[in-house]
Amino acid sequence: MQHPPSDSARLSAPIDLQRVRHLFRNPARVADSDFLRREIANRMHERLALVKIDPARVLDAGCGQGADLSVLQGSFPDAQVLGIDASAAMPAAARNEFASAHSSMNRLLSKWLPAKLGGGAHAAPRLICGDFAQLPLNMHAVDLIWSNLALHWHPQPDRVFAEWRRVLAVDGLLMFSCFGPDTFKELRAAFATVDDAAVHALPFVDMHDFGDMLINAGFSTPVMDMETITVTYESVHKLLADVRAWGGNPLATRRRGLMGRKAWAAVVHSLEQNRRSDGRIPLTFEIIYGHAFRPAPRTTAAGEAIIRLDLHRK
């Protein structure tokens, strides 16, 4: 069910959540573009390794086909790992992937280890389909929220941050990545040569705006940074296929009809003009990284100030 925006929330873009779910309904369709998600996940794990945290429950928000679930479980072997995705097909694929991977692991362990040591596989993660801004979790339910290249597909990231803060325990950590405004800039420029009225790619949110949203949602000491990654392609066809696999155009205001043959040829020609000396066509990705903690409350529900005494102070 797609919930209407609340009056207090503002749209980052007129994203059609039903369209997002439709675009990600087929896990096989997005598999070829997973190399970038894995690369960003590796860079996030390097950042996470620098933070001292021992979570009891971990939530992967935007778990997709579950590639990060087993890695998170490996990083925090005693934690319960949960995964949520907006498209029902993704948790189903993640469940199958987890079962297959651990079945193979158990066969290997039973072959090489004594029986009493070969049954230590982790319980399957809890996987659900839902809206990031309306999580089916209690307040303070998790200690770490991890979200890799998923937040930019939600039309109201300020509501998402507020909800993530609600379910995080005190001193819990949020760590996420998403696309920034310069992502797909070559594609925007190509479409602008034939049609500067319609929006053909998602206008991603600026890093500083995300930082402001985190503070407004009640997170403490948010840290934001970004980097630019350039992926190169042998053909325009492959470049466009990956753009579609990364979510395509989920805007409610997108052009409904097909672009004419002449206009489309002009878009392709514009992209072809970007070929570098090595013959490949570049596509830019601005990657935003953010992390923040949920602080202890300073007031009670009635608005009374909470004063904490350090009883261990000498």
Side-chain angles (χ1 to χ4, degrees):
M1 177 177 177
Q2 182 172 347
H3 298 275
S6 65
D7 293 336
S8 60
R10 56 191 179 89
L11 293 173
S12 63
I15 297 172
D16 182 348
L17 282 176
Q18 296 288 3
R19 175 69 175 169
V20 172
R21 295 186 182 104
H22 177 78
L23 289 167
F24 287 100
R25 74 192 185 283
N26 182 2
R29 177 177 173 272
V30 304
D32 284 348
S33 67
D34 201 48
F35 68 90
L36 185 64
R37 296 184 188 90
R38 296 303 93 232
E39 176 61 29
I40 301 307
N42 290 337
R43 299 183 187 199
M44 288 178 66
H45 281 292
E46 291 175 357
R47 288 168 163 80
L48 182 58
L50 301 176
V51 182
K52 286 188 176 182
I53 185 172
D54 185 21
R57 301 186 79 188
V58 177
L59 173 65
D60 182 352
C63 64
Q65 294 170 263
D68 287 323
L69 294 172
S70 58
V71 181
L72 289 167
Q73 188 72 81
S75 297
F76 307 107
D78 296 326
Q80 179 186 6
V81 178
L82 304 89
I84 186 169
D85 202 275
S87 175
M90 290 299 182
R95 191 173 293 108
N96 293 336
E97 184 72 19
F98 183 91
S100 176
H102 281 261
S103 175
S104 300
M105 182 188 301
N106 286 340
R107 287 196 297 270
L108 182 62
L109 289 173
S110 64
K111 179 179 180 181
W112 294 104
L113 296 176
K116 64 180 181 179
L117 298 179
H122 296 291
R126 179 187 172 193
L127 297 165
I128 50 181
C129 175
D131 187 339
F132 290 172
Q134 291 187 315
L135 297 172
L137 299 172
N138 293 329
M139 183 179 293
H140 303 169
V142 298
D143 306 290
L144 168 63
I145 295 178
W146 163 282
S147 184
N148 178 24
L149 295 183
L151 179 63
H152 45 256
W153 303 126
H154 199 285
Q156 295 174 287
D158 55 339
R159 280 185 61 199
V160 174
F161 285 145
E163 179 69 347
W164 286 356
R165 182 186 182 278
R166 181 187 70 82
V167 303
L168 266 177
V170 172
D171 295 327
L173 173 66
L174 164 65
M175 177 168 282
F176 68 94
S177 65
C178 56
F179 290 152
D182 273 350
T183 301
F184 303 155
K185 66 179 183 180
E186 296 87 354
L187 190 63
R188 298 178 204 279
F191 277 112
T193 62
V194 297
D195 181 7
D196 59 2
V199 179
H200 295 274
L202 192 63
F204 299 107
V205 177
D206 183 78
M207 174 181 72
H208 300 96
D209 291 334
F210 276 132
D212 292 341
M213 291 181 198
L214 286 167
I215 292 173
N216 291 337
F219 283 93
S220 66
T221 58
V223 176
M224 307 294 302
D225 65 305
M226 60 80 67
E227 64 179 334
T228 299
I229 294 176
T230 302
V231 179
T232 61
Y233 293 88
E234 293 181 352
S235 68
V236 171
H237 173 77
K238 177 55 178 171
L239 181 153
L240 293 172
D242 273 1
V243 169
R244 296 186 189 100
W246 277 307
N249 185 355
L251 295 174
T253 55
R254 66 188 181 279
R255 176 194 287 271
R256 302 291 172 160
L258 295 175
M259 180 174 285
R261 182 177 300 177
K262 183 177 180 180
W264 183 248
V267 170
V268 172
H269 175 72
S270 178
L271 290 170
E272 288 282 359
Q273 292 296 106
N274 294 332
R275 282 194 185 272
R276 309 187 314 181
S277 58
D278 61 1
R280 298 180 67 87
I281 306 170
L283 183 63
T284 296
F285 295 85
E286 179 184 332
I287 309 298
I288 293 174
Y289 302 94
H291 73 262
F293 290 89
R294 188 202 195 282
R298 296 181 178 179
T299 60
T300 66
E304 299 170 331
I306 297 175
I307 300 176
R308 291 179 170 79
L309 301 177
D310 184 1
L311 300 180
H312 299 288
R313 186 175 55 188
K314 295 181 179 179

